[in-house]
Amino acid sequence: MTQSTSFLRAVQPAVRELKVTFFLLNRNLLQRISMVIILLLILIAIFAPVIAPYPGHAISDTNPKDKLLPPSSQYFFGTDELGRDLFSRILFGTRISLRTALLAVGLALLIGAPLGAIAGGLGGIADEIIMRLTDIFLSFPPLLLAIAISSFLGPSLENAILAIAISWWPWYTRIIRGQAVSIRERQFVRAARAIGTPLPKIIFSHILPNTLAPVIVQASMDIGGVILTIASLSFLGLGAQPPIPEWGLLISSSRTYFLNAWWYSTFPGIAIFITVMVFNLIGDGIREVLDPRTRKF
Amino acid sequence: MEKTMKLFIVLSLISIFIITGSAFAADTPTFAVYALNSEPLTNWDPAIEFSNGIHVHNNMYEQLLRYDSIEEKIIPMLAESYTVSEDGLTWTFNLRAGVKFQNGDDFTAEDVKFSVERTMQLAAGASYIWSAVESINVVDPLTVEFKLAYKNPLDLVAATGYAAFIYSSKCVNEDNTWIDETPGCGTGPYMLRSAKWGDEVILQKFDGYWGGWQENSIDIVVFKKVSETATRRQMIETGEAAITVELPYTDVEVLKNNPEVVVSVNPSLQNLIGMFNTQKAPLDNVKLRQALAYAFPYQAVIDTVIGGYGQQSYGMVPAGLWGWSDQLPRYEYDLEKAKALLEEAGAGSDLSLVLTYTAGNEAEKSTAELYKSELAKLGVNLDIRGMPWDSQWEMALGDPSQRQDILMMYWWPDLPSPYSFLYSTFHSEDEPLFNLAYYKNPEFDQLIDGGNEMTSSDIEAAKQMFIDAQKMLLDDAASIFMYDRQDIWVTYKTIQGFKFNPAYPTVVFFHELTVQN
């Protein structure tokens, strides 16, 4: 038996689980639609430069002679105050929102997951210190903390991602720690300990992988929230900087013109609304499927 | 019987209505709300405030003189007249008799001496305007004499919209600090009624004002911060606000056709500049700065960003102020020339510059974006950073290696003189304050200091010196002089008598207004 076949056999249950999850998600119409839309968003994000009629408008080009035109066959979503095609800008905005959301959640997981596993796996004083630290972070409203951090770091998209990750990681730490505490007492962990496996190896290769299911649920539900937070930070001028076509920034710029140019704030608003909603629906779906109490079979 | 009873009730009801109705009519004060785009006041102390408080303080306090920059003449205020000695070093002001402070005290020469000396001593805000003053002598209760160390146009100084106010000594603590929110500290037409810090200031009519009151004048003035432009527009359309400013030009075009409001477009003394960091690589290279000045799309910015309500600047002094000259050279938008100069400067293709602007200012933001798209054509990357003014300023004053390359800001006059536009912004400073181009040129310093001294004796010579000084700034490309802006005021139809005076930017003198229903 080669290494790879043994690996395949090892992951077989996980693949099967994934298939079941997809099957279950697919049975619900709302979630099926959400999955299709998410797939569509991912495709838009990947192929934005090909689909967008004016890709230059999403980068640095301006076109002042066509400023603030209503939607037409030339500009599907109208133009902004510098004559840029809003359709192209919103398409490129999909890229930014998805990428920043994944990065922020990924970074938060990267900080939060190991800390949670250490806290739960070690217990004692390490647990106390890490958990009180999360309490400190959790005592601030997450948006407020993100605002404070990104205004301290200086306004840019990268700093906004960092700020969100810093204000978000304690949630993952708590979930994983809770899981780890119960797994620590399970037979296979005791067995590993009994044969003298070093503690770090127990924490990272026995405990941590077994805590991931609920964290994946939480993370998928958080993507919508993170997209909204990024948009909020950019709206306040603390995230993306012009001329990046970030949705929150587009809405922020449109405030000045919305009494005369309804299309300017409407379309980025719809984009945020749809994206956040489908991610929340899918997150709910995954939770239902993975939760044994609500699982139908 | 029943009939007379009914009649009696009806009559008494009618009489009650008439009495209370007329009583209400007499008691209801006339209000005027001035909807501002930012906080009405940043410091209560009239000696220190060097910001938005110009709106409020000019209604509460008065200067010795005021300056009408359209008619180019001095308006007597607390001083009825003044004389200047042969050598230009002694100025004597004859004060107005019968003026009272809002707290009932008489206004005398002692108050002038106290106010100006304290303002100078605090050395905050715009107090530098008095720097030529050596001593102040009270000759008699209605005459005050200023001795100068060097020649200086003290009449213009005394007319400044900041730091030239005369206030009561009763509003100052023993340790020389201002007692915030004390009513009755000034001689102006309005006195403080109440305030919510950072949000609104409410003033009420001072009945004993020496200038008297017209019929239907405004009893209560509310300065209110309304940061959303859409809200300000709706307030003025419904009459909730009497006056507002800083509306985007797209709204102005619509409001011009609205019979409920009056739109007036007036010259302002405000200009938008983009200061180059002349001390830090790569912009310490003059050729490179010139290239960047040629790459700026002047006309496109004026048409797109301010809807044509302005014109490209000739140098730093804005149109409408003496010392402005259309004989000065201008950098025109010319990418070919910019490209040639870039090559001459030996700038690499990976040139990347940081530009800061005040976050929330849509005009500055759009201007920066238009500039970025032009620079991209030259292969230069412009990194645009919108920051709150405090952070922008902190970065500009902080560690020299971390400072911005280009800083965008509006400038407006404190003193109605070209010196005010050239001194704070480009005069050499050891520790930068507003010279955020970090420009150092002793010849330039000498010219503008000389021009300032000449102002009171030979204004034509002074004018020429200021023009020559600006020529230096242009040759050195210390800044991009983007545009001189017009001010757009929107007033509700019932407000009459509105006049503007660019020497006091965005100030509404409410004493001059009346309400016609």
Side-chain angles (χ1 to χ4, degrees), chain B residues 61-80:
Chain B
Y61 304 99
E62 290 174 312
Q63 299 88 333
L64 291 173
L65 305 166
R66 272 188 190 145
Y67 181 74
D68 183 336
S69 72
I70 291 174
E71 309 264 315
E72 299 202 4
K73 65 170 195 212
I74 299 277
I75 309 166
M77 294 299 289
L78 291 176
E80 276 181 322

Side-chain angles (χ1 to χ4, degrees), chain B residues 73-89:
Chain B
K73 65 170 195 212
I74 299 277
I75 309 166
M77 294 299 289
L78 291 176
E80 276 181 322
S81 62
Y82 61 95
T83 53
V84 56
S85 67
E86 197 80 4
D87 60 2
L89 294 180

Side-chain angles (χ1 to χ4, degrees), chain B residues 100-113:
Chain B
K100 282 198 182 300
F101 277 102
Q102 293 150 0
N103 61 15
D105 295 349
D106 286 326
F107 160 77
T108 66
E110 288 295 340
D111 297 305
V112 177
K113 181 178 161 71

Side-chain angles (χ1 to χ4, degrees), chain A residues 37-61:
Chain A
I37 293 178
I38 288 179
L39 202 69
L40 216 63
L41 288 172
I42 294 171
L43 288 177
I44 288 174
I46 296 170
F47 294 109
V50 186
I51 314 167
Y54 302 94
H57 287 185
I59 302 159
S60 67
D61 289 1

Side-chain angles (χ1 to χ4, degrees), chain B residues 353-461:
Chain B
L353 302 167
V354 173
L355 176 146
T356 61
Y357 74 94
T358 312
N361 187 315
E362 285 301 311
E364 289 183 25
K365 192 199 105 201
S366 298
T367 304
E369 284 181 280
L370 284 170
Y371 191 30
K372 181 185 172 88
S373 76
E374 296 304 326
L375 289 181
K377 292 179 192 161
L378 295 173
V380 177
N381 175 45
L382 189 68
D383 182 6
I384 304 174
R385 290 196 204 155
M387 305 163 105
W389 169 252
D390 286 347
S391 327
Q392 190 187 359
W393 206 18
E394 202 175 294
M395 181 175 176
L397 305 182
D399 179 0
S401 64
Q402 300 296 317
R403 287 174 184 167
Q404 77 293 336
D405 297 304
I406 307 172
L407 180 138
M408 224 153 83
M409 69 172 176
Y410 275 105
W411 194 256
W412 59 85
D414 24 75
L415 176 79
S417 151
Y419 193 55
S420 147
F421 274 83
L422 297 169
Y423 176 81
S424 297
T425 44
F426 295 106
H427 195 285
S428 309
E429 289 175 333
D430 292 332
E431 282 296 319
L433 183 69
F434 278 112
N435 179 354
L436 304 175
Y438 320 107
Y439 184 68
K440 282 201 172 80
N441 183 345
E443 271 179 76
F444 171 87
D445 296 350
Q446 215 176 351
L447 264 179
I448 63 166
D449 289 341
N452 187 39
E453 286 181 28
M454 297 289 272
T455 301
S456 52
S457 51
D458 184 351
I459 195 154
E460 285 308 315

Side-chain angles (χ1 to χ4, degrees), chain B residues 220-474:
Chain B
I220 288 174
V221 180
V222 182
F223 297 85
K224 191 160 179 50
K225 172 186 167 183
V226 183
S227 40
E228 289 298 326
T229 57
T231 316
R232 286 207 300 282
R233 174 175 152 189
Q234 284 167 332
M235 284 174 77
I236 198 79
E237 281 177 324
T238 56
E240 194 183 336
I243 296 183
T244 191
V245 281
E246 295 288 332
L247 287 179
Y249 76 92
T250 42
D251 283 346
V252 172
E253 293 304 316
V254 179
L255 289 175
K256 274 184 172 170
N257 299 319
N258 185 342
E260 301 289 304
V261 300
V262 181
V263 174
S264 44
V265 179
N266 304 305
S268 84
L269 297 179
Q270 275 192 66
N271 52 9
L272 183 65
I273 56 175
M275 294 178 121
F276 290 128
N277 188 335
T278 59
Q279 295 292 324
K280 189 181 110 181
L283 293 191
D284 52 353
N285 181 340
V286 65
K287 290 269 181 239
L288 187 53
R289 297 202 297 267
Q290 288 170 345
L292 294 177
Y294 278 117
F296 188 83
Y298 298 93
Q299 201 51 47
V301 164
I302 290 163
D303 292 342
T304 317
V305 176
I306 53 172
Y309 292 108
Q311 59 170 32
Q312 188 190 337
S313 308
Y314 287 96
M316 180 63 193
V317 176
L321 186 65
W322 62 278
W324 171 85
S325 165
D326 57 8
Q327 300 307 306
L328 281 167
R330 287 201 290 201
Y331 287 89
E332 305 290 343
Y333 169 61
D334 186 342
L335 280 187
E336 288 308 313
K337 228 175 201 170
K339 196 176 270 176
L341 278 162
L342 265 183
E343 273 166 28
E344 220 178 303
S349 58
D350 56 343
L351 188 61
S352 184
L353 302 167
V354 173
L355 176 146
T356 61
Y357 74 94
T358 312
N361 187 315
E362 285 301 311
E364 289 183 25
K365 192 199 105 201
S366 298
T367 304
E369 284 181 280
L370 284 170
Y371 191 30
K372 181 185 172 88
S373 76
E374 296 304 326
L375 289 181
K377 292 179 192 161
L378 295 173
V380 177
N381 175 45
L382 189 68
D383 182 6
I384 304 174
R385 290 196 204 155
M387 305 163 105
W389 169 252
D390 286 347
S391 327
Q392 190 187 359
W393 206 18
E394 202 175 294
M395 181 175 176
L397 305 182
D399 179 0
S401 64
Q402 300 296 317
R403 287 174 184 167
Q404 77 293 336
D405 297 304
I406 307 172
L407 180 138
M408 224 153 83
M409 69 172 176
Y410 275 105
W411 194 256
W412 59 85
D414 24 75
L415 176 79
S417 151
Y419 193 55
S420 147
F421 274 83
L422 297 169
Y423 176 81
S424 297
T425 44
F426 295 106
H427 195 285
S428 309
E429 289 175 333
D430 292 332
E431 282 296 319
L433 183 69
F434 278 112
N435 179 354
L436 304 175
Y438 320 107
Y439 184 68
K440 282 201 172 80
N441 183 345
E443 271 179 76
F444 171 87
D445 296 350
Q446 215 176 351
L447 264 179
I448 63 166
D449 289 341
N452 187 39
E453 286 181 28
M454 297 289 272
T455 301
S456 52
S457 51
D458 184 351
I459 195 154
E460 285 308 315
K463 205 180 271 185
Q464 195 52 49
M465 289 168 102
F466 286 126
I467 291 170
D468 291 345
Q470 290 182 74
K471 178 89 179 29
M472 285 182 183
L473 290 182
L474 290 162

